[in-house]
Amino acid sequence: MNAPWTRQFDLPTAAGSIRVREWGDPDGPLVVFHHGTPSSSIAVPGGWTGPATAGVRLCSYDRPGYGGSPSAPGRTVADAAEWSRLIADAYGTDRFAVIGTSGGGPHAVATAALLPERVTALCVDVGLGPAGFGFDGATEMVAETVAEIAAARRGDAALREHLRSLGDGAEALDEWFERLPASDLEVLGRPEVQHEESVEATEWSAHGIDGWVDDDLALFARAWAFDPSHLRAATRLVYGDADVLVPASHGRAWLELLPHAELQVVPDGGHWMRDHEVELLRWCGAVVAV
């Protein structure tokens, strides 16, 4: 496979290292992307050509336990702020934007809240609701996700047993995919998306289920350890009203915590918001560039 990114490197952290990939315009405003659960840095907003089309320099990274990043047991949602800071420092960039999809949404919010002087734009793109702040993360979720969250709340061993029972790699997600709305099936039926998804499935499972386990424990079994009231960045919350994986009620829960935010609910939109993400990246870049 010809590398679709423009640069790749391993960045040292206090707990090991994270794999970072750069996409798009190397002279564009910096946007740090927090991928979903389970996923990896190979999955980026708007697809592999999205960052270049939007004119931004997007840096995606593998959270520990996924892709090229060794597992870091005990990691928290708040750790995403330090990883993002290290990425921005590696580029000598003071101001940047963050965007997070699905399970990456809370990681993006944590970054904006813990680095308020540096993060000027935040986008939560079909991101999990504020489960660390009194909101029940299982709200309106499908039965498969409710069972996953319940296993995470029982601890590491129970969660591993549950996830292993689902199968290996992409097969583990089959039951969720059977529930997807027509809008998601249309996007996933596109040849370029099918190719990107197949590469993503291979990447996120490079360490087995370690990344998935660590994500779920961080999201549902550990304190999030940041105060959302400290967040100052311009904020957009984008959800689909047909999404069965992270329903729009999660976006409304974020809006209660972040009243300055703009909530957009896309009619008939599902969990794969590819056709809207280039515009979101452009918005992030424009805010950073001001």
Side-chain angles (χ1 to χ4, degrees):
M1 178 185 74
N2 292 328
W5 55 86
T6 57
R7 182 186 177 197
Q8 175 178 291
F9 59 96
D10 294 331
L11 185 62
T13 73
S17 66
I18 54 171
R19 172 70 50 83
V20 179
R21 284 168 169 150
E22 178 186 327
W23 310 70
D25 182 355
D27 296 318
L30 179 65
V31 180
V32 176
F33 174 58
H34 303 262
H35 64 70
T37 302
S39 189
S40 78
S41 61
I42 198 71
V44 293
W48 290 351
T49 61
T53 302
V56 300
R57 170 193 277 169
L58 184 133
C59 283
S60 60
Y61 70 97
D62 295 324
R63 283 194 295 279
Y66 291 117
S69 300
S71 181
R75 63 175 169 86
T76 69
V77 170
D79 288 336
E82 177 63 6
W83 302 327
S84 300
R85 183 191 68 78
L86 290 170
I87 291 170
D89 287 352
Y91 284 91
T93 301
D94 289 331
R95 292 160 46 94
F96 61 98
V98 291
I99 180 170
T101 296
S102 198
H107 294 81
V109 177
T111 301
L114 291 168
L115 301 175
E117 302 297 333
R118 301 188 66 175
V119 176
T120 59
L122 162 67
C123 180
V124 179
D125 180 20
V126 298
L128 176 75
F133 302 103
F135 175 75
D136 185 354
T139 298
E140 296 188 16
M141 294 292 206
V142 296
E144 290 80 3
T145 305
V146 173
E148 176 188 349
I149 293 172
R153 290 169 176 166
R154 293 195 300 272
D156 184 282
L159 179 59
R160 287 183 182 276
E161 180 180 2
H162 175 75
L163 295 181
R164 288 190 183 112
S165 74
L166 302 177
D168 298 325
E171 178 186 334
L173 302 175
D174 284 351
E175 293 183 6
W176 280 274
F177 274 57
E178 290 173 0
R179 293 179 174 270
L180 297 179
S183 55
D184 281 338
L185 295 177
E186 188 280 321
V187 173
L188 290 169
R190 301 173 190 175
E192 70 276 13
V193 178
Q194 291 180 341
H195 175 60
E196 293 176 22
E197 289 285 324
S198 67
V199 177
E200 179 188 358
T202 299
E203 284 219 346
W204 74 250
S205 59
H207 301 277
I209 58 172
D210 284 353
W212 195 352
V213 167
D214 291 345
D215 263 2
D216 279 359
L217 293 176
L219 290 166
F220 304 114
R222 297 190 186 114
W224 284 14
F226 67 90
D227 185 346
S229 70
H230 293 168
L231 195 152
R232 302 176 187 172
T235 301
R236 290 184 65 177
L237 312 167
V238 182
Y239 291 79
D241 71 358
D243 190 348
V244 298
L245 299 185
V246 181
S249 55
H250 289 238
R252 289 189 283 271
W254 274 121
L255 188 61
E256 290 185 13
L257 279 179
L258 307 172
H260 74 285
E262 172 192 346
L263 173 62
Q264 177 186 3
V265 179
V266 178
D268 300 320
H271 200 64
W272 274 261
M273 302 292 281
R274 173 172 297 232
D275 294 339
H276 301 271
E277 287 170 344
V278 169
E279 188 274 327
L280 296 179
L281 291 178
R282 285 198 181 105
W283 174 79
C284 286
V287 173
V288 173
V290 171

